Amino acid sequence: MSRRFLHTADDYERMIADIARQEGFNVETLDGNVFFVIRSFSPSGEEVLSNVNITRFADAMARALS
């Protein structure tokens, strides 16, 4: 990512992570990327974990809104 977007993307990342926490999602950092975890269940009853990459989303927002 261009340095031009880095600060703005960091702000968006923090904002999205705060909102996710307020809504009850677990927020985790893995290898420098921030994710929130969605837990759901398959039709057979197995737990399914989906990681939503907040970092990538924040980077895209910074580029789109600049």
Side-chain angles (χ1 to χ4, degrees):
M1 173 177 45
S2 166
R3 293 291 308 161
R4 180 173 93 145
F5 301 115
L6 188 58
H7 180 71
T8 302
D10 286 346
D11 291 344
Y12 289 142
E13 184 181 76
R14 280 189 292 279
M15 178 185 66
I16 295 165
D18 287 345
I19 292 168
R21 283 186 193 98
Q22 290 171 12
E23 293 299 319
F25 292 100
N26 289 334
V27 176
E28 302 173 359
T29 301
L30 303 168
D31 298 326
N33 290 310
V34 180
F35 297 87
F36 67 88
V37 180
I38 298 174
R39 297 183 196 298
S40 59
F41 293 90
S42 71
S44 65
E46 291 182 63
E47 184 178 36
V48 178
L49 301 177
S50 301
N51 291 326
V52 178
N53 190 325
I54 294 172
T55 303
R56 273 182 47 191
F57 186 73
D59 291 346
M61 280 183 60
R63 284 192 303 276
L65 297 174
S66 66

